[in-house]
Amino acid sequence: MVGDKLFEENPTLYAFLPLFYMVWADAVLTPSEITRIKKLLEKQQWLTPEEKTFLLSFLNPTSPPSPNQLKSWLKEIKKTSDYLSPEMKSSLVEIGIKLAKVNSRSGTEETINNARKPLEDIEKALGVVSRESAYHFNSLVKRTTEEVGTSSVDHNEINKILDGEDAEIIRKVKTLLQDPVFEYYKGESIHEYREQVLEWCKLLAQQGLGGIAFPKSYGGQGDMRKYFIVMETLAYHDISMVIKFGVQFGLWGMSVMFLGTEKHHKKYLKDIGSLKLPGCFAMTETGHGSNVRGIQTTATYDHNSKTITIHTPTKDDGKEYIGNAALHGQMATVFAKLIIDDTDYGVNAFVVPLRDAKGKTVKGVTIEDCGRKMGLNGVDNGKIFFDQVQIPLENMLDKFGSINEKGEFASPIASDNRRFFTMLGTLVGGRIGVPKAGLSAAKSGLSIAIRYSNQRRQFGPEGGEEMVILNYRTHQRRLMPLLANAYALHFALDYVTQRFLKRSDDDIQEIEALAAGIKAYSTWNTTHTLQECREACGGKGYLSENRIDTLKADTDIFTTFEGDNTVLMQLVAKSRLSEFKQEFSDINFFGIINYLTDQAKITLTEMNPIIIRNTDEDHLLDSDFHLNAFRYRERDILSSAAKRLKHYIDQGMDSFDAFNQCQYHLFNVGVAYIESVIMEQFVLKVKSLEEGNSKNVLKKLCDLYALATIEKNKGWYLEHDYMEGAKTKAIRRMVNKLVREVRQDAIPLVNAFKIPESCLAAPIVTRI
Amino acid sequence: MVGDKLFEENPTLYAFLPLFYMVWADAVLTPSEITRIKKLLEKQQWLTPEEKTFLLSFLNPTSPPSPNQLKSWLKEIKKTSDYLSPEMKSSLVEIGIKLAKVNSRSGTEETINNARKPLEDIEKALGVVSRESAYHFNSLVKRTTEEVGTSSVDHNEINKILDGEDAEIIRKVKTLLQDPVFEYYKGESIHEYREQVLEWCKLLAQQGLGGIAFPKSYGGQGDMRKYFIVMETLAYHDISMVIKFGVQFGLWGMSVMFLGTEKHHKKYLKDIGSLKLPGCFAMTETGHGSNVRGIQTTATYDHNSKTITIHTPTKDDGKEYIGNAALHGQMATVFAKLIIDDTDYGVNAFVVPLRDAKGKTVKGVTIEDCGRKMGLNGVDNGKIFFDQVQIPLENMLDKFGSINEKGEFASPIASDNRRFFTMLGTLVGGRIGVPKAGLSAAKSGLSIAIRYSNQRRQFGPEGGEEMVILNYRTHQRRLMPLLANAYALHFALDYVTQRFLKRSDDDIQEIEALAAGIKAYSTWNTTHTLQECREACGGKGYLSENRIDTLKADTDIFTTFEGDNTVLMQLVAKSRLSEFKQEFSDINFFGIINYLTDQAKITLTEMNPIIIRNTDEDHLLDSDFHLNAFRYRERDILSSAAKRLKHYIDQGMDSFDAFNQCQYHLFNVGVAYIESVIMEQFVLKVKSLEEGNSKNVLKKLCDLYALATIEKNKGWYLEHDYMEGAKTKAIRRMVNKLVREVRQDAIPLVNAFKIPESCLAAPIVTRI
């Protein structure tokens, strides 16, 4: 059937057929390799010269077999394949020998065995490539890569752990979002989109969600915690809606609530909560974003008329990016420098009308549309310029600073700056709402990408079914640590929320730093997660219908607004420096540094022989090891930053420059601190759970967060002799193991977010 | 004037005023710190009880000073400030003492000096915070942070190095793009946008740019190099236009050119080049993207009618994401499995009509619009389904496979797979065009972000001007290494292009791997760069008018199309494994591994004592050190991957599973190889330049690329004892130094790209 009499005369020659097939089939063989095979053949004593010439003719590059010839060889080879055990199928030699035997007459056993040695030599020379090509011949090989059995994890149980005491309000919001009126806007018109988003916000206000944090006397529930949960849950839907919601009820509403006094509450809060009075929060100026203390808009008080005049000195001082400004806002909380008799009393807040009820801008107010943005195009951001706009004195939000009857400025806080930062401090809730909304977007992205990757098949063993892409190790490496991050941040944000709600004067500084740090860390994680999700879904991830596009574009600005992340991390670091000062208040600054350094040295010395090279699985998965490693890093980076700062200052550098010199270092102080907080909270959460499958899988996620983070920072740990190379390598292997294991439960773990299908709305996963 | 007689009686008390000011001003002092200051005061023997009580009254939290009081203190303190030298201004103690002296009568010298000790104690206890707050009092402090003098770098000279021999065609394309007809489309209608992009492509075709790579006999210039340069330069403008251009002239045109024969060239090429015949490249199917060999569309030959029937078996087998399909394409190169007499001859290519000249789809063809995408919305991507569409035999693109007169399949390449990959190999140019276009987008982003950061001021020393944000260390750390990457990749892509243009059968496999790897590495770099640029520009970066939005969204898919990056890196790794096989063709696979391992060991032993802890600046900036480090890593990762693979296979794992187990490792093999190639080319380029400023600054960028990459991989180097912690720390410091230095020349370095202002078109930088 292979069509030559020599094969019939000496069936042993059949043993070479798989090899010849391979030469002309997929595996790339170079000319020098073909030469090598020729040489090996020529050495064989048991072949006749005629047979050698015949065999060599199969290797002639100038006369390759025809496609049909190649197909007939394959057909021949495959016949034998059924007689072979799976192990034998992975060897070209075994296949060849078997083929020869099948075609042989009796008594040729020895001749056939003669072929084994040269075949083995050739196979060795080809190495891995030959092994791989052997799979051409196997149509029924059983694969070991179908690794997903039935997960023992109950997504309902995990969902309960996630939702906790907030389950009821979460359920309410999710139910609401599934109403057909919340169908996504799919048109091209920004104008229509903005009106749709306003409409949605009105519906939410009707349900009492807008003013949920406002006092009961003004139509609210006085429940700040619920407000955060509402933000977080709404963020499974259109993010423009969440931001518009946050602008109206969080920024505009809460600036009146926290910076104003009873007269303002009475006058505005109810109408804000019902969205009868849409408003803005006008702080940022073109010239001053991060350095908001430097804003230039003026509010000049005239004691005769008891009025305040709001004015934008130059174009660069216009209020920019102001949500609700371009179209819908009727009033705004405007931040401006209060001037009384030519004296500047720092930044204060004022309620300023922008438009009448019909939408016409009032005299002196000019508003420009910010136009199309990367995302959040359902929010009407605008620029506002004030040309000598007069407001009555009562419009000053006077909780922290007021003008008395003598026309003098009065405040319980003497320093302008400290007063301003106290005012900002009351608004720090935005730094909790934003990362919570961002985390929800990341959860949506992970739900889409992980569910898709669990269906999408691509490549597979020759002759076998294609494999779901979530079974590929690189895919697991990309997505599973991000799933662990989502869980880690869920618990960490919950912790920060609780701390925020229970804050007092004693810990407010710590909590502000916590909120700043978690906002930065979490929103960067959202950007990173959604980028990976987009890529993990390939071309499907690029189609807008699958929503990763929008999730990503809408949340991209989260790393900038409510505080630029890089700037926030510096704040965290500065707070950490002064917090230590507090913790050791009876030793001086030098002492603190020495103390920290000594601490570090002692810890290191203690564990040196045992820990730094311990690669036992028990140890690597021990939460105490994780916590120690995170805390050690945090302390060491902090004390070395303090030392460097001191060094520069001692050299005569001024502090602004010294801080700039250490800026990258300080940035890492912030990150290390936040990672340490996240780690602690995750460990505490897992410890608090009842034994069972849910606890086990969350412990695995916790371990994955811990070890993937340590792996990310392994350069640092090795530099500081905290670990040896053998240990960091063992950690890498453990991360590989954990991503494989977590992958087994990945579907229930994303289902546990219970994101309504109508919100996910990605045809790649919801159409099935 | 501070308003109390005790000050007048004992002017020494003035020495405490700066301290009191600070307590109530910005610096955050905790209650325990105030307590501590109180205690220190109480210990002072030289103060009368009355004076102590008086001073303590300034620290009472229940009766803080009024804002006006605080302002009067500041006024008082500032008066003295003029008398102090800059160094003294950084000390609260010096300011206090001076203040006391200015207000004192004669003979109180000693009393004043008595105050020095307690003040110093307090300052020590407050550490850095006190130093910083001292700046409140200094309105005229000279800053050292204005670090940018006049750069000595000539951007014209650097531009010549970048453009090289291609300067003329680059200039031509840039001139063209500045014509007003190329004004960006700013409307909301996708339909209008697509028509605009088609119009632009027609204009480019009129200029002879479309068919520039086609033979002269068909209206072209036969210049493939120019084609790449055109793609690269067009990418300073709208990326949708570049992709539409690439689909028409690169994919559709070159598939006809490379896979077809003379009859096809005659019939189609001229009309393709002039855009008279818009067409598509229909390879990817919904079910098969990366694993394109598995596509299911069939092309069934009937020898009686000499026709081929193109058919889409199931919905999942439709051609998806096909550019030019939704609206404009009249024909397509369709990839389908050729079936003759029930035998499958693998994937071949056919020219299939889609629409008549009026735009009506032909019988049997159904086209769906892919709809809105994350970006590239000027390209009309569509899905194509074929329902038994008959085409004549001559429409088979028959360079690599044909059907002879007997109705038999004939091909110079016997194996279906090898034939298919050979066909794909001819189209590998896309893997050069795409990263080149992506790099141009990254250059646009860097030009915008760096120029903006050099103007944008935010924060600054107290009393000083705000500082340009590019002078912040974290900002430099974010952007300068990306600027170095852009230069590194520019030269590396140029190298790969040259190799590609001069390819032969001997090195085609190496070049395909090179192109795959550089495509993956470079497009990821584009995504990463534009993300950083967006964040570096803050809110301005989020506004679409500043174009980072579009640059980012349009290029995001570059990591997926022309081969998913993760998959491509695996290809690189596999190629590296087999290339070594080639390099050592007379030792077997085991031998290769041992050889590599021995090599590694020897290299390591040789340099152990000298190199691994060498932190001399000369050494750290030595290109040989860089090259050795990159190459060592590349070799070591490769040999350890080979060993792991062999280990798994020896254990009986089949090769598909073994490769999957090592997938993450193999991914790193690919990355390390590409980094090594980029490094080599950058070093060669710099060496080739004449001595001078341009060479110096490019050497700096080369060093920065080298050291920032080593820093990124420092965990690996430390794990493998290639460097000690002291050295990696020194490298971090050197990177910090280099980013500061490169920042000085950052403006000429982005200006050297010479991107037309009308293309950059970002108001944040072009309006000035």
Side-chain angles (χ1 to χ4, degrees), chain B residues 29 36 52 114 132 160 166 181 216 239 277 316 330 363 378 459 465 503 521 606 612 745 757 762 767:
Chain B
L29 285 186
R36 181 164 162 69
K52 282 181 192 172
N114 279 336
E132 202 184 6
K160 272 183 200 153
D166 306 307
V181 295
K216 287 185 183 166
I239 314 275
L277 182 65
D316 210 35
Q330 290 175 22
K363 189 164 166 279
F459 295 108
E465 194 187 10
R503 70 196 178 280
Y521 191 88
E606 269 173 3
I612 71 169
D745 299 317
E757 295 291 298
R767 252 183 215 156

Side-chain angles (χ1 to χ4, degrees), chain B residues 360-379:
Chain B
K360 193 173 167 297
T361 47
V362 303
K363 189 164 166 279
V365 172
T366 306
I367 298 181
E368 289 176 9
D369 198 315
C370 287
R372 184 175 278 280
K373 306 181 294 290
M374 180 182 274
L376 297 182
N377 281 304
V379 183

Side-chain angles (χ1 to χ4, degrees), chain A residues 213-328:
Chain A
F214 298 167
K216 287 185 183 167
S217 42
Y218 305 114
Q221 296 184 30
D223 193 334
M224 193 67 184
R225 179 175 179 88
K226 275 195 186 158
Y227 174 78
F228 289 132
I229 297 290
V230 169
M231 283 281 283
E232 171 184 315
T233 314
L234 289 178
Y236 293 130
H237 191 254
D238 187 306
I239 313 276
S240 282
M241 182 184 77
V242 181
I243 298 306
K244 183 98 170 175
F245 183 94
V247 166
Q248 172 68 18
F249 308 111
L251 293 174
W252 161 230
M254 291 189 203
S255 62
V256 170
M257 182 163 85
F258 289 122
L259 306 181
T261 47
E262 209 190 339
K263 60 179 179 290
H264 304 110
H265 300 167
K266 270 192 184 160
K267 197 165 174 185
Y268 301 121
L269 279 187
K270 204 172 170 187
D271 288 348
I272 294 175
S274 70
L275 201 32
K276 197 180 150 192
L277 184 63
C280 310
F281 181 83
M283 183 151 71
T284 298
E285 294 175 359
T286 303
H288 288 92
S290 291
N291 187 13
V292 67
R293 206 176 49 141
I295 58 169
Q296 298 295 316
T297 301
T298 54
T300 310
Y301 177 62
D302 175 54
H303 194 50
N304 292 328
S305 61
K306 297 215 172 144
T307 57
I308 295 167
T309 302
I310 308 291
H311 187 66
T312 309
T314 76
K315 201 160 167 58
D316 209 36
D317 307 321
K319 298 294 181 183
E320 193 168 11
Y321 317 117
I322 310 303
N324 243 350
L327 280 178
H328 302 129

Side-chain angles (χ1 to χ4, degrees), chain A residues 113-345:
Chain A
N113 283 334
N114 278 336
R116 189 179 288 274
K117 179 70 176 59
L119 282 171
E120 278 174 356
D121 286 348
I122 293 167
E123 184 165 44
K124 261 190 197 167
L126 298 175
V128 169
V129 177
S130 82
R131 308 285 185 104
E132 202 184 6
S133 58
Y135 285 95
H136 280 285
F137 315 131
N138 300 311
S139 50
L140 294 162
V141 184
K142 269 238 168 170
R143 312 303 311 180
T144 58
T145 40
E146 289 295 336
E147 293 173 332
V148 181
T150 318
S151 170
S152 54
V153 172
D154 176 0
H155 77 279
N156 286 311
E157 209 177 286
I158 306 269
N159 176 260
K160 274 183 198 151
I161 296 168
L162 290 169
D163 288 358
E165 54 173 298
D166 306 308
E168 198 192 312
I169 179 79
I170 292 174
R171 201 185 43 75
K172 182 182 167 171
V173 176
K174 283 180 178 171
T175 307
L176 194 58
L177 290 177
Q178 291 174 72
D179 189 282
V181 295
F182 284 99
E183 201 189 319
Y184 287 114
Y185 175 73
K186 291 188 182 111
E188 290 182 0
S189 155
I190 285 192
H191 187 80
E192 277 176 25
Y193 184 22
R194 287 168 168 184
E195 295 304 322
Q196 172 65 82
V197 166
L198 178 67
E199 213 43 55
W200 284 333
C201 287
K202 284 182 180 165
L203 292 170
L204 297 172
Q206 276 172 23
Q207 296 286 327
L209 298 176
I212 208 162
F214 298 167
K216 287 185 183 167
S217 42
Y218 305 114
Q221 296 184 30
D223 193 334
M224 193 67 184
R225 179 175 179 88
K226 275 195 186 158
Y227 174 78
F228 289 132
I229 297 290
V230 169
M231 283 281 283
E232 171 184 315
T233 314
L234 289 178
Y236 293 130
H237 191 254
D238 187 306
I239 313 276
S240 282
M241 182 184 77
V242 181
I243 298 306
K244 183 98 170 175
F245 183 94
V247 166
Q248 172 68 18
F249 308 111
L251 293 174
W252 161 230
M254 291 189 203
S255 62
V256 170
M257 182 163 85
F258 289 122
L259 306 181
T261 47
E262 209 190 339
K263 60 179 179 290
H264 304 110
H265 300 167
K266 270 192 184 160
K267 197 165 174 185
Y268 301 121
L269 279 187
K270 204 172 170 187
D271 288 348
I272 294 175
S274 70
L275 201 32
K276 197 180 150 192
L277 184 63
C280 310
F281 181 83
M283 183 151 71
T284 298
E285 294 175 359
T286 303
H288 288 92
S290 291
N291 187 13
V292 67
R293 206 176 49 141
I295 58 169
Q296 298 295 316
T297 301
T298 54
T300 310
Y301 177 62
D302 175 54
H303 194 50
N304 292 328
S305 61
K306 297 215 172 144
T307 57
I308 295 167
T309 302
I310 308 291
H311 187 66
T312 309
T314 76
K315 201 160 167 58
D316 209 36
D317 307 321
K319 298 294 181 183
E320 193 168 11
Y321 317 117
I322 310 303
N324 243 350
L327 280 178
H328 302 129
Q330 289 174 23
M331 299 198 107
T333 295
V334 174
F335 290 81
K337 294 193 292 186
L338 176 65
I339 313 284
I340 306 176
D341 295 335
D342 294 333
T343 302
D344 177 349
Y345 288 89

Side-chain angles (χ1 to χ4, degrees), chain B residues 499-624:
Chain B
R499 290 288 308 271
F500 174 75
L501 295 171
K502 290 180 197 156
R503 70 196 178 280
S504 72
D505 284 351
D506 290 342
D507 61 6
I508 182 68
Q509 198 209 346
E510 182 200 346
I511 291 165
E512 284 177 13
L514 261 178
I518 199 90
K519 184 270 180 186
Y521 191 88
S522 186
T523 54
W524 264 323
N525 179 66
T526 292
T527 299
H528 175 58
T529 298
L530 291 169
Q531 183 66 37
E532 292 290 336
C533 290
R534 202 300 285 155
E535 294 179 28
C537 293
K540 287 288 184 192
Y542 199 63
L543 300 180
S544 299
E545 62 175 21
N546 290 318
R547 288 195 61 248
I548 296 177
D549 163 19
T550 313
L551 290 168
K552 192 165 160 39
D554 285 350
T555 55
D556 202 88
I557 194 64
F558 285 20
T559 59
T560 299
F561 71 16
E562 286 288 344
D564 175 89
N565 280 2
T566 308
V567 175
L568 291 182
M569 279 298 185
Q570 313 288 321
L571 287 188
V572 178
K574 286 191 186 181
S575 157
R576 292 300 294 157
L577 286 168
S578 61
E579 213 175 276
F580 266 89
K581 192 166 55 72
Q582 192 172 351
E583 204 170 328
F584 306 95
S585 59
D586 50 342
I587 24 174
N588 65 25
F589 194 64
F590 299 78
I592 294 160
I593 292 170
N594 292 335
Y595 177 84
L596 281 170
T597 317
D598 287 349
Q599 274 287 87
K601 272 185 201 146
I602 290 164
T603 325
L604 188 58
T605 317
E606 269 173 3
M607 63 192 167
N608 211 340
I610 320 154
I611 311 289
I612 71 169
R613 60 182 62 157
N614 188 344
T615 60
D616 295 348
E617 180 160 330
D618 284 352
H619 170 68
L620 294 182
L621 299 180
D622 177 357
S623 295
D624 284 341

Side-chain angles (χ1 to χ4, degrees), chain B residues 262-300:
Chain B
E262 209 190 338
K263 60 179 178 289
H264 305 109
H265 300 168
K266 269 193 184 160
K267 196 165 174 185
Y268 301 119
L269 279 186
K270 201 170 172 190
D271 288 349
I272 294 175
S274 69
L275 201 34
K276 196 178 151 196
L277 182 65
C280 310
F281 181 82
M283 183 151 72
T284 298
E285 294 174 1
T286 304
H288 289 90
S290 291
N291 187 12
V292 66
R293 204 176 52 140
I295 57 169
Q296 298 295 314
T297 302
T298 53
T300 310

